[in-house]
Amino acid sequence: FRSQIPKVDNPEKAKAVSEQVTISVDKLGRLFLETSQISEADLSKELASIYKVTPTRPIFVKGDVAANYGRVRAVMKMCNDAGFETVGLITKDRKEG
């Protein structure tokens, strides 16, 4: 899975990758939990399970620059519905190219 990440000035640095959960949305709208493609229903179940065990675990959504914003927002809502109050977006610093 390869995507074009939106670029911003001075993005916040994420915690250690091993401590966070990353959900990706590619330009076709497909969902990935870490590097494995997953259905929306299964993602919802996985998020609920993760929240049950580690409710403070950082959740990040990485949307391809060509991904539909509504699809990315729907994934963020799924995270909120699972119980996670804060969901981060992964971006790339413009200075990194």
Side-chain angles (χ1 to χ4, degrees), residues 27-95:
K27 64 183 176 183
L28 300 176
R30 295 178 298 189
L31 304 177
F32 295 82
L33 179 59
E34 300 304 337
T35 58
S36 301
Q37 189 171 351
I38 190 167
S39 71
E40 195 168 314
D42 287 343
L43 177 59
S44 183
K45 290 176 192 172
E46 285 293 323
L47 287 168
S49 294
I50 293 167
Y51 183 79
K52 194 177 213 182
V53 176
T54 53
T56 59
R57 194 161 182 192
I59 304 291
F60 289 92
V61 177
K62 177 169 59 172
D64 187 280
V65 71
N68 178 290
Y69 178 76
R71 183 75 165 148
V72 173
R73 182 63 193 112
V75 170
M76 294 177 73
K77 184 176 181 326
M78 288 173 61
C79 297
N80 292 144
D81 290 348
F84 295 99
E85 293 180 17
T86 304
V87 180
L89 285 173
I90 294 178
T91 57
K92 187 174 182 180
D93 194 333
R94 288 183 200 275
K95 296 173 192 162

